[in-house]
Amino acid sequence: MTGPQPPAAVLCGVGSWLPPDVVGNDVLAARLGVTDDWIRQRTGVRSRRRAEPGTATVTMAVEAGARALKSQGHGQADAVVLATATPDRLCPASAPEVAARLGLNGAAALDVSAACSGFVYALSVAAGLISARTCRRILVIGADTMSAVLDPDDRATSPIFGDGAGAVVLRAGRSGEPGALGPFVLGSDGDRADLIQLPAGGSLTRYRYTAHAPDPYLRMDGREVFRQALDRMGGAVTAAAAGAGWALEEVDRFAVHQANARISRALATRLGVPCERWLSNIEHVGNTTGASVPLLLDHAHRGRLLLPGQRTAVAAFGAGLAWAATTLTWPELAHDG
């Protein structure tokens, strides 16, 4: 005799927040010795947000989390899972402080570190907690302050990345109902860990304030990352759709990590996806790392580009290397304007 089915994780709220400071390509182009057109052709980014001094990941996560909680109709959750590659401190984790500032003191709270794939990994962690009946309602946030780790003179990274935060609320529900997350596809390749890395600050390369301090900035091999992103995200999103019982042509919307507009176009072409099904906001926010996917979902929802009943595939790829994907049918959610 089989017991009752475990509860499914159902998306029931969404929200986001961006710092008010808009940095256009003209500002960066002058410093980097390039043009606005050079940046746009290589990245698809026209502007990005930068957090002011004193505003960091916890602050942005709280703002996005509050909006997601409001979207669900009340401010309650019994856990907070924060995906970030730029915590306010290496220790302690940032999630407990986020929970406390949101009035959720006492809730379970943890950080997930998987860089650009972190939010989808965090969704899988939250879904597992709901399936195990450990929690019934979980706030999942992706937030990153990339400006804190960017070399302002590096053409490979400075024009691409931006700061921001996005969040969703998951509740216990039934498999197959609108908003229920489908099977997850997760993977990694640590043999290529050096393709995207922040060399200093860990236990291997310990940061010291000396003339010979290790490199404190994010570094990336853009050409090889491009190739890996196509292979890994393409495979993950295809497998996630298949796990949901969908052919790719049956997917209405693709919400894929906003790494680079050229990667997005190439991936859409490889998958045979019409451009009108491919959600994008990189032009105005850049690559926001762990915040990328939830920011995209919230912007598409508020812009009526993601509508109730639409089959949606979600995927991400980034440092680790790590990749992740899942699916859902977009639910009916409140709009804040």
Side-chain angles (χ1 to χ4, degrees), residues 3-9 127-128 130-133 172-175:
Q5 291 294 311
I130 288 173
S131 177
R133 296 185 172 84
R174 295 176 290 101
S175 177

Side-chain angles (χ1 to χ4, degrees), residues 250-268:
E250 295 175 315
V251 178
D252 300 304
R253 294 289 183 266
F254 290 81
V256 174
H257 167 55
Q258 303 291 281
N260 179 305
R262 293 172 60 215
I263 291 175
S264 295
R265 288 193 296 268
L267 183 56

Side-chain angles (χ1 to χ4, degrees), residues 5 16 29 39 44 47 99 109 123 134-135 153 157 207 245 263 312 323 332:
Q5 291 294 311
S16 66
I39 295 173
S47 63
L123 287 179
T134 303
C135 301
D153 298 317
T157 59
Y207 192 81
I263 291 175
T312 305
W323 52 92
E332 186 77 46

Side-chain angles (χ1 to χ4, degrees), residues 83-125:
T84 185
T86 56
D88 281 17
R89 310 173 184 86
L90 288 179
C91 180
S94 292
E97 187 175 354
V98 172
R101 290 197 193 181
L102 288 169
L104 303 174
N105 217 336
L110 71 151
D111 289 5
V112 171
S113 178
C116 297
S117 296
F119 178 76
V120 186
Y121 264 81
L123 287 179
S124 72
V125 171

Side-chain angles (χ1 to χ4, degrees), residues 143-218:
D144 272 302
T145 314
M146 295 306 297
S147 59
V149 296
L150 292 180
D151 180 349
D153 298 317
D154 183 9
R155 293 182 180 181
T157 59
S158 183
I160 295 176
F161 291 94
D163 300 338
V168 303
V169 180
L170 302 180
R171 63 166 174 82
R174 295 176 290 101
S175 177
E177 70 171 293
L181 299 180
F184 284 87
V185 176
L186 307 173
S188 71
D189 181 0
D191 287 336
R192 292 177 169 85
D194 60 343
L195 293 182
I196 312 172
Q197 62 170 316
L198 184 59
S203 60
L204 177 63
T205 308
R206 303 178 188 187
Y207 192 81
R208 295 289 185 270
Y209 292 96
T210 69
H212 304 290
D215 187 351
Y217 296 122
L218 181 77

